[in-house]
Every structure is written in C-alpha cells, then in structure tokens.
Amino acid sequence: MKSLVVYLMAGPQTPELAEAAVEGGADIVELGFPFSDPLADGPVIRRAAERALADGMRTEACLECLARVRELVDVPLVPMTYAALLEAYGYERFQADARDAGASSLIVADLPAGERPELRRVQLVAPTSTDERIELAAEQTDGWLYLVTVTGTTGAREGLSPTLADLVERARRLTDIRLYAGFGISTPEQAQAALELADGIVVGTRAVEVAEDGPAALREYVRSLRTEIIVH
C-alpha cells in the first residue's frame, strides 16, 4: 500500500487542519516546528514559519499543538525541525516530550545519519548522497527513508525531478526499507509519477498553501492526491 504524508506548520489552526488532512486520506502528518533559519525550506514554508513564530509558536507551544493534534487523529505524527532547536531545548528532553505529546517519530532536517544515533528519527537522503551514506541512513532510520528528490529547498515545481529514479534505484539495491519521496511534489500528476517509483510521497509546500484557505480546502486537496494513491 502506498502512503501519503502531509506536512503542516504548527500553529493555532493546525489541529483542525491536521484532522481535515486525515479525513482527506493522509496516512501520516508531518508537523513542522518553526525555526528562524530553516535551511531546507523554500519561501512558502519559510513564510509559514515566520507567521508561526509571530503567533508565539515556540517549542513548548508546538508540543502542545502536537498533543492537540494527537487528540484528534490516530495516524502517525512526525515533528520536523532543525538541530539548533533541539540543541537549545535538549535532545533527550525533546525526544521524551515529543513522545509524550503523541509523536511517532521525528525528522531533523540538518542532522545527518551517524550523528546522535541515539536520537531515533526518520533519515533523509538526497541525489548527492553516496551509497555509503544511503546505507547508513537506511540502517539508522525509523520506519521509512525520506528521499529528497532535488538538491535544494522545498517548493512546488513544474515537474518531478529526473534524479528521483536513480535515487530510488540506488536505495532499492541497498535496503528493503520503505522509500518516501518528497520536495517538489505538489500536483496529482507529480504524485502519480513519484508513486511509480517510491512507496509513498511527502507533500509540503502545496499543502501549506492550500491550508491557508482552511480545513475544507485542504481536505479536498489531500483527497485529490489520495485518488492517485488508490490507483497504485
């Protein structure tokens, strides 16, 4: 069964948005914890992070948001953030508090495989990753491996990155773990193309944009992506 991961930025409206995303067919909700210098994020998610920070969404508020989302949905919840936030809060403390709030795993975008292996998390690999790096990430990842389809930041793109096929092929040779593709997947057509290769997709930028129009709009958008997954 193919999987659909929907990314949302933590904020006052996020619990209701997450509920709508799950109603639309999201299998996993990735919850962004805003950071002032998000190196992996494009302009849409950067602006969402700035709004969230302006709304007071510091780490403890994000954990409260996570707990509220957990009350509303029963799918896996995966906070996504950056190492500096965990450094300030405390790695072990964050891991424990996130689990207590309902997190199923964790993504730390700028913490490479091999660093802090005790911090169980979903690992990311990119087209530039060596086979050795992919193998290490696969060994240490939590549940699935996040394939970054492009070199650069998140954001909607015209078409699916041509580098994904090679990345999937290399990863398949090195591991049996599930492979989810993200970065630059925003339309049902791109979802379809990615799902021909990977075991699931992560949709972020477009989901964040649609979420600005409210839960009903997000539910319908996620449903359009879910239709492609049902086909596969």
Side-chain angles (χ1 to χ4, degrees):
M1 179 66 178
K2 304 285 187 173
S3 298
L4 173 58
V5 184
V6 173
Y7 172 98
L8 297 169
M9 181 63 67
Q13 288 78 44
T14 302
E16 290 72 26
L17 291 166
E19 185 177 33
V22 172
E23 289 170 352
D27 297 298
I28 299 171
V29 174
E30 184 183 340
L31 194 64
F33 280 32
F35 180 58
S36 57
D37 188 22
L39 299 178
D41 294 324
V44 170
I45 293 181
R46 278 178 177 267
R47 286 194 297 270
E50 290 167 2
R51 288 193 300 270
L53 290 170
D55 285 336
M57 297 303 295
R58 303 302 188 268
T59 304
E60 290 188 1
C62 290
L63 290 167
E64 291 171 5
C65 176
L66 172 63
R68 176 66 179 137
V69 173
R70 171 50 69 217
E71 292 174 358
L72 297 177
V73 305
D74 60 3
V75 302
L77 302 178
V78 183
M80 182 277 192
T81 190
Y82 289 85
L85 186 149
L86 273 64
E87 193 77 43
Y89 193 84
Y91 283 93
E92 291 183 7
R93 179 186 171 209
F94 184 89
Q95 187 172 33
D97 288 356
R99 292 281 183 185
D100 288 347
S104 309
S105 188
L106 178 65
I107 295 172
V108 187
D110 57 346
L111 191 63
E115 294 188 22
R116 294 199 171 265
E118 75 283 359
L119 187 69
R120 195 75 177 149
R121 61 194 187 273
V122 174
Q123 301 283 353
L124 294 86
V125 296
T128 53
S129 299
T130 63
D131 285 359
E132 291 76 16
R133 175 61 57 181
I134 293 171
E135 196 165 21
L136 177 63
E139 288 172 0
Q140 295 187 351
T141 201
D142 188 16
W144 47 280
L145 193 60
Y146 194 143
L147 306 186
V148 178
T149 65
V150 294
T151 302
T153 60
T154 60
R157 288 167 170 82
E158 290 297 319
L160 188 68
S161 170
T163 62
L164 177 60
D166 177 67
L167 181 57
V168 169
E169 190 275 330
R170 289 197 293 136
R172 294 275 190 225
R173 280 193 285 105
L174 298 166
T175 181
D176 293 327
I177 205 154
R178 287 174 66 80
L179 308 176
Y180 293 1
F183 283 50
I185 298 172
S186 60
T187 68
E189 293 75 21
Q190 290 167 341
Q192 181 182 29
L195 290 167
E196 296 289 347
L197 302 167
D199 301 308
I201 55 171
V202 184
V203 179
T205 295
R206 185 58 185 153
V208 169
E209 287 179 326
V210 175
E212 294 177 7
D213 294 328
L218 181 63
R219 185 184 303 109
E220 289 308 308
Y221 170 65
V222 174
R223 191 167 287 150
S224 73
L225 298 172
R226 184 82 239 170
T227 300
E228 291 302 330
I229 288 178
I230 291 170
V231 170
H232 290 80

